[in-house]
Amino acid sequence: MADGDVLRARGIRYARAGRFERPTPEPSVPLVDATRKAPACPQPPMEFTERVLGVTRGELGHDEDCQRLSVTVPASATAGAALPVMVMIHGGSYTSGAGDLAIYDPARLVTEQQVVVVTVTYRLGLLGYLGDGASRPANLGLLDQIEALRWVRTNIAAFGGDPDAVTVFGQSAGGDATAHLMIAKGAEGLFHRAIIQSPPIGVMPGRSEMAARMMQAAEAVTAEAHIDEVLAAQPGVEPPFAKYGLRAGMPFGVQYGHDPLPAEADLDAAWSEAAGRVEVLIGSTDREAAFFVAKAAGGLMSWRWAAPFVRRLVARLTDRIYGRGVLAFADRHHHAGGRGQRYLIRWGAPGNPLAGAHTVELPLLFGHPETWAGAEIVAGADPRDLDRSGRRLREIWAAFARSGPVGVVSEPGLIEVRDLPV
């Protein structure tokens, strides 16, 4: 479907599955309806996130039958163009979001950089990220993503993409998923580069007891329950912060030792082995935790952001949840013989308490000015700076997808990129 300077094929089914069942690939057919956006996986409302990012609640509609993807290509692309392919895994703490939200529209990235972008929608929350491996499979959302990558491998050449030049990228939970796809059984050879944005590596280890207790609390949620009952039950499954600390702030996620992931004790070896197969660009923003501190405080104006204790708290949490883990991941990747780089984003609107916060790169990479007009994350930004910084960040991301490490970059007020080791 033509849409300005791009062509879109929307809402293509890559797999299907019953509730709490492993996905099965969708067989190839001569003709599919690719004119409608993919529905979001059913999810509870996220008022704070919606306000910060300017998301319109219910803009896509919800459907458990959500294993869909959309492909956006330059209008001039031909079947033999062999353009770089960028597969985007959306974020949202594994409980919210969808690939076809307006805030993830890749049209500017596609037209400016002449790449093919695939946006993937997958199962979330109780439907996609909680299982015991016996009565209910774990990691269903991750298994969905693998099926999407298999679809890309098989079909993307027909859209002008190069199946041998696939980069997976994602932010937050999407970055975490990207990192874990590197070591997921069945994903080998499906991509060769990864851009891992703000992965919450610091809260992912040591979750087996928490997941087991969550599974016990979720046993009453059956495959036959109405979806409204499932969503109503989800908050009661989430563990108390007092007992599990920062992990409880992102309770749903990948589970180690369950297909397709290795046991937690084998993670270092698995990522070290993957280092020779996947080039990595990994990093974070300089004030990630400002997003979560604002959320916990109940809003942006309910307290004094300039207070020294607030600055210290944001710095400590940013380092604990993101900084240390990103550096450790990059260091291991380098010492295992992998090629890669590490970045730090410092962009933000002057005076905005969310400057440099978690998600701040999303309006630079995706969407259009009108998409972000009411989003708190860009309040006070100079439109010219937003456009200029966005073009530069899209250029860097696409350059990595095209040929790997981009060299040292130092652009004050936007991004620093450094070669490994860091």
Side-chain angles (χ1 to χ4, degrees), residues 14 17-23 40-44 63-67 89-90 92-97 121-133 136-146 173 176-177 204 207 211 214-215 218 221-223 227 230-231 234 237 250-256 258-261:
Y14 60 83
R19 184 183 294 172
F20 304 141
E21 293 180 359
R22 296 171 61 92
C41 179
Q43 55 196 264
D63 193 333
E64 286 190 68
D65 184 23
C66 65
Q67 289 99 339
I89 310 294
H90 72 80
S93 297
Y94 290 117
T95 57
S96 66
T121 298
Y122 55 95
R123 285 176 286 180
L124 302 167
L126 276 176
L127 300 171
Y129 281 94
L130 185 64
D132 58 10
R136 189 176 303 175
N139 298 320
L140 291 174
L142 193 66
L143 292 170
D144 287 349
Q145 294 160 15
I146 293 172
D176 185 70
M204 299 313 291
R207 300 163 65 93
M214 289 173 64
M215 188 61 203
V221 181
T222 68
I227 187 57
V230 178
L231 295 181
Q234 186 163 301
V237 171
M250 187 178 172
F252 291 96
V254 296
Q255 292 177 248
Y256 301 128
H258 295 283
D259 188 47
L261 294 178

Side-chain angles (χ1 to χ4, degrees), residues 91-185:
S93 297
Y94 290 117
T95 57
S96 66
D100 278 352
L101 287 173
I103 62 168
Y104 295 126
D105 184 352
R108 290 188 297 174
L109 177 61
V110 168
T111 56
E112 292 170 16
Q113 299 302 322
Q114 294 296 291
V115 295
V116 174
V117 175
V118 181
T119 53
V120 178
T121 298
Y122 55 95
R123 285 176 286 180
L124 302 167
L126 276 176
L127 300 171
Y129 281 94
L130 185 64
D132 58 10
S135 62
R136 189 176 303 175
N139 298 320
L140 291 174
L142 193 66
L143 292 170
D144 287 349
Q145 294 160 15
I146 293 172
E147 291 299 337
L149 289 174
R150 288 172 175 159
W151 185 96
V152 169
R153 179 70 184 176
T154 301
N155 297 285
I156 206 63
F159 293 85
D162 184 352
D164 292 319
V166 175
T167 298
V168 177
F169 72 122
Q171 183 268 344
S172 191
D176 185 70
T178 299
H180 286 94
L181 284 166
M182 290 175 60
I183 57 172
K185 181 180 178 181

Side-chain angles (χ1 to χ4, degrees), residues 165-308:
V166 175
T167 298
V168 177
F169 72 122
Q171 183 268 344
S172 191
D176 185 70
T178 299
H180 286 94
L181 284 166
M182 290 175 60
I183 57 172
K185 181 180 178 181
E188 304 91 344
L190 297 180
F191 64 102
H192 301 94
R193 296 188 179 102
I195 304 176
I196 305 171
Q197 301 168 222
S198 302
I201 295 176
V203 299
M204 299 313 291
R207 300 163 65 93
S208 57
E209 179 188 351
M210 185 179 77
R213 291 184 179 274
M214 289 173 64
M215 188 61 203
Q216 290 175 357
E219 287 179 350
V221 181
T222 68
E224 293 74 31
H226 190 277
I227 187 57
D228 290 345
E229 297 178 50
V230 178
L231 295 181
Q234 186 163 301
V237 171
E238 297 176 4
F241 185 87
K243 181 174 177 59
Y244 294 103
L246 291 174
R247 296 182 184 88
M250 187 178 172
F252 291 96
V254 296
Q255 292 177 248
Y256 301 128
H258 295 283
D259 188 47
L261 294 178
E264 187 166 336
D266 299 326
L267 288 176
D268 278 349
W271 268 309
S272 293
E273 190 277 329
R277 294 186 279 107
V278 182
E279 295 178 323
V280 165
L281 176 61
I282 186 170
S284 60
T285 67
D286 65 335
R287 297 181 67 250
E288 294 274 2
F291 181 100
F292 304 101
V293 173
K295 182 179 179 181
L300 301 185
M301 306 306 296
S302 60
W303 52 313
R304 290 179 177 267
W305 273 87

